[in-house]
């Protein structure tokens, strides 16, 4: 298939849905005892709800929403650190739009901006670099946030800043990696997962082999998937066929985009600029060993944590979630968004209590956007 509409063809979708139902019946899964399939990526969560795939697939499949939203898993203490940097008078703080409305302990970045902090939304770290060139008397800080998908662009920007000698540019690095939290989830005896739909954009960078442990160590199938309806349906079919056949493999449905061994240029940039933190805090999962990236000593001059003495470099603290906020439970698949007592009431996109309601990849945002008042009333 070459064109977008081919990946949304209703006739083809019905054929795949029928095949999924056939395999689910062969396995013996039912609505009362369903297969639990986790879509790791928040982009997949939104696609599932946008196209109604959760309603179209056999009731013997239950989708579990995973920790694949980097804004959502960011602990509130790190948002507080962003605000502390941004409120310094010499700083121009730059960030992707997703992070602007994520609540910290007392305020969000957009509230800090309203109070006078110079916070600017950018579309790329290159935009922040340009601001540093144009404002040599100001410190320009870029909020480096995201999984392996966005880590290379931040790394390449740091390399460019080093080549130009832009001493007024730095990155507050909160890049994190996907495989470690999956290992943490699978190591939890209370997590009942039968298979995974793997992230397409992350895998575009790292390839498919970083997920080998899921199949080899935990005996669960995983299929790296694209984002169109037929991509997701075919991936679910591949997962349930593995379960039926007793196979546990890493398969690549998204081979038109995802190379087996990843993108060598991106991986080289990541390796040059970053090293693993000993541990990093994830909302809902706590501290996970070697799950976060930090800037290497060779690029220390571009590390905002070192420059401003903040964050993990200054004994980062744990900040509890607001009372009654279920973001952690939703993020780890233990609770559906509509089961949170605040969903659609005390927590809406306009007045969010937690990050999952404001991120473009948040599960709560997906439920609210595609279910809205009806879902809130259920």
């Amino acid at each position: 298939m070459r064109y977008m509409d081919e990946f949304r063809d209703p006739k083809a979708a019905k054929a795949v849905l029928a095949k999924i139902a056939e395999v689910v019946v062969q396995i013996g899964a039912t609505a009362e005892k369903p297969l639990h399939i986790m879509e790791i990526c928040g982009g997949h969560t939104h696609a599932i709800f946008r196209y109604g795939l959760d309603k179209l697939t056999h009731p013997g499949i239950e989708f579990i929403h995973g920790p694949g939203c980097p804004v959502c898993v960011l602990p509130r203490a790190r948002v507080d650190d962003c605000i502390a940097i941004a409120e310094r008078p010499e700083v121009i703080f730059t960030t992707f739009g997703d992070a602007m409305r994520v609540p910290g302990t007392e305020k969000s970045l957009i509230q800090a901006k309203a109070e006078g902090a110079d916070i600017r939304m950018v579309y790329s770290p290159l935009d922040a670099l340009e601001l540093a060139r144009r404002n040599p008397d100001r410190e320009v800080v870029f909020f480096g946030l995201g999984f392996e998908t966005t880590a290379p662009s931040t790394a390449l920007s740091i390399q460019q800043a080093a080549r130009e000698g832009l001493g007024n540019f730095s990155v507050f690095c909160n890049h994190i990696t996907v495989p470690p939290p999956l290992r943490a989830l699978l190591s939890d005896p209370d997590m009942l997962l039968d298979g995974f739909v793997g992230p397409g954009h992350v895998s575009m960078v790292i390839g498919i082999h970083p997920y080998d442990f899921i199949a080899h160590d935990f005996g669960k199938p995983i299929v790296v998937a694209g984002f169109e309806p037929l991509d997701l349906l075919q991936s679910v079919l591949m997962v349930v066929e593995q379960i039926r056949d007793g196979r546990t493999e890493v398969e690549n449905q998204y081979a038109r985009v995802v190379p087996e061994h990843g993108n060598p240029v991106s991986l080289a940039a990541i390796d040059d600029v970053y090293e693993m933190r000993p541990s990093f805090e994830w909302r809902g999962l706590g501290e996970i060993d070697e799950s976060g990236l930090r800037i290497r000593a060779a690029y220390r001059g571009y590390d905002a944590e070192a420059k401003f003495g903040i964050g993990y470099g200054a004994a980062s603290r744990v900040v509890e979630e607001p009372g009654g906020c279920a973001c952690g439970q939703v993020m780890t698949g233990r609770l559906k968004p509509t089961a949170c007592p605040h969903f659609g009431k005390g927590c809406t996109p306009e007045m969010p209590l937690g990050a999952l309601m404001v991120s473009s990849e948040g599960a709560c945002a997906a439920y609210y956007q595609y279910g809205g008042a009806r879902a809130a009333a259920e």
Side-chain angles (χ1 to χ4, degrees):
M1 294 190 291
R2 295 177 297 166
Y3 303 108
M4 190 70 72
D5 57 353
E6 296 179 85
F7 291 92
R8 301 177 181 179
D9 178 47
K11 184 176 179 180
K14 288 178 181 178
V16 181
L17 284 164
K19 184 62 177 176
I20 290 171
E22 178 185 327
V23 176
V24 170
V25 169
Q26 291 171 353
I27 294 170
T30 64
E32 291 72 32
K33 292 185 177 180
L35 298 170
H36 296 93
I37 298 176
M38 174 176 280
E39 82 280 359
I40 298 164
C41 176
H44 284 152
T45 302
H46 275 254
I48 287 168
F49 282 90
R50 181 183 303 121
Y51 299 113
L53 304 186
D54 60 316
K55 305 296 184 186
L56 295 172
T57 49
H58 189 281
I61 292 175
E62 181 177 356
F63 289 105
I64 305 296
H65 317 309
C69 168
V71 173
C72 303
V73 299
L74 189 72
R76 287 208 299 164
R78 298 297 274 181
V79 178
D80 292 344
D81 291 340
C82 284
I83 294 166
I85 295 172
E87 290 182 331
R88 298 174 70 108
E90 74 275 21
V91 166
I92 299 173
F93 193 86
T94 62
T95 178
F96 294 140
D98 248 17
M100 288 289 285
R101 299 182 64 239
V102 176
T105 304
E106 297 180 357
K107 67 184 79 170
S108 64
L109 283 168
I110 200 166
Q111 289 170 318
K113 177 179 175 67
E115 293 173 3
D118 193 347
I119 300 171
R120 309 187 193 185
M121 188 180 76
V122 295
Y123 296 97
S124 162
L126 294 177
D127 295 340
L129 269 182
E130 183 59 26
L131 280 170
R133 296 186 189 104
R134 293 179 180 179
N135 297 272
D137 58 333
R138 302 284 299 279
E139 288 287 343
V140 177
V141 180
F142 175 69
F143 185 13
L145 178 64
F147 293 120
E148 293 93 337
T149 313
T150 55
S153 63
T154 305
L156 291 165
S157 298
I158 290 173
Q159 290 175 330
Q160 182 64 30
R163 284 192 291 270
E164 295 182 27
L166 284 175
N168 65 324
F169 173 80
S170 60
V171 171
F172 183 49
C173 185
N174 289 271
H175 287 296
I176 46 181
T177 59
V178 165
L182 299 182
R183 184 179 289 277
L185 284 173
L186 286 164
S187 299
D188 183 345
D190 294 328
M191 285 300 298
L192 301 176
L193 297 172
D194 297 293
F196 292 88
V197 171
H201 294 150
V202 165
S203 305
M204 188 171 59
V205 174
I206 66 175
I208 66 172
H209 291 298
Y211 311 117
D212 285 346
F213 73 94
I214 294 175
H216 298 163
D217 298 348
F218 293 95
K220 306 293 182 184
I222 177 170
V223 177
V224 173
F227 293 85
E228 293 301 319
L230 281 175
D231 286 325
L232 284 162
L233 291 176
Q234 184 183 19
S235 299
V236 170
L237 176 60
M238 293 166 72
V239 170
V240 297
E241 285 179 335
Q242 282 200 51
I243 294 171
R244 179 197 62 190
D245 300 341
R247 295 181 290 117
T248 55
E249 302 171 10
V250 181
E251 293 186 304
N252 185 9
Q253 182 276 335
Y254 205 26
R256 68 183 187 275
V257 171
V258 174
E260 179 182 356
H261 298 289
N263 184 310
V265 175
S266 295
L267 291 171
I270 288 173
D271 185 61
D272 178 54
V273 173
Y274 308 114
E275 62 185 4
M276 283 291 182
R277 297 179 188 268
S279 69
F280 193 79
E281 183 190 353
W282 291 60
R283 176 174 289 178
L285 288 168
E287 293 280 342
I288 300 178
D289 292 344
E290 297 188 329
S291 63
L293 301 175
R294 65 185 179 191
I295 297 170
R296 291 186 183 274
Y299 294 98
R300 184 177 177 84
Y302 304 97
D303 184 352
E305 289 188 43
K307 182 175 283 190
F308 299 103
I310 205 164
Y312 268 78
S316 181
R317 69 204 185 286
V318 174
V319 177
E320 297 297 327
E321 294 296 315
C325 179
C327 273
Q329 292 168 281
V330 174
M331 180 54 56
T332 53
R334 293 176 171 85
L335 195 72
K336 297 293 186 185
T338 49
C340 174
H342 297 293
F343 178 83
K345 302 177 180 71
C347 183
T348 66
E350 293 75 25
M351 294 292 291
L353 189 63
L356 275 72
M357 185 58 87
V358 291
S359 170
S360 63
E361 294 189 344
C364 294
Y367 273 68
Y368 193 91
Q369 182 175 353
Y370 300 109
R374 176 186 55 78
E378 289 178 352

